[in-house]
Amino acid sequence: MGLIDNAKDAGEATAQKVGEFVDDTKERVSDAADQAEADAEVKKAEADLERAKAESEATEAKNEYKENLR
């Protein structure tokens, strides 16, 4: 009966390790997805900032032009 108990214990240990591996992999994938989402938000914010700077420069140029006409 010792052989059967040893095999059962080994099977349970293997199942536990596989479960831990699956959980770790799931967490890594989730972390990678979170990082990608954060990176996308940063890129969007940078693009919005560039657009705002361009609009500001365009408005400044328009105002200078109008001032020169006066």
Side-chain angles (χ1 to χ4, degrees), residues 1 3-4 6-7 12 16 21 24 29 32 34-38 42-43 45 48 52 56 59 62 64 69-70:
M1 193 123 139
L3 184 60
I4 293 174
N6 288 344
E12 289 175 357
Q16 184 178 1
F21 176 77
D24 289 345
V29 169
D34 291 345
Q35 184 65 46
E37 185 177 325
V42 168
K43 293 291 184 189
D48 289 346
S56 175
T59 301
K62 178 189 73 165
E64 285 179 15
L69 290 177
R70 293 185 189 133

Side-chain angles (χ1 to χ4, degrees), residues 38-57:
D39 290 344
E41 288 180 26
V42 168
K43 293 291 184 189
K44 182 183 180 305
E46 289 172 345
D48 289 346
L49 178 60
E50 289 299 317
R51 182 187 48 78
K53 284 181 181 178
E55 287 179 7
S56 175
E57 290 171 0

Side-chain angles (χ1 to χ4, degrees), residues 12-38:
E12 289 175 357
T14 301
Q16 184 178 1
K17 284 291 186 181
V18 169
E20 290 172 0
F21 176 77
V22 169
D23 289 343
D24 289 345
T25 301
K26 178 181 169 186
E27 190 171 330
R28 284 187 184 107
V29 169
S30 177
D31 290 347
D34 291 345
Q35 184 65 46
E37 185 177 325

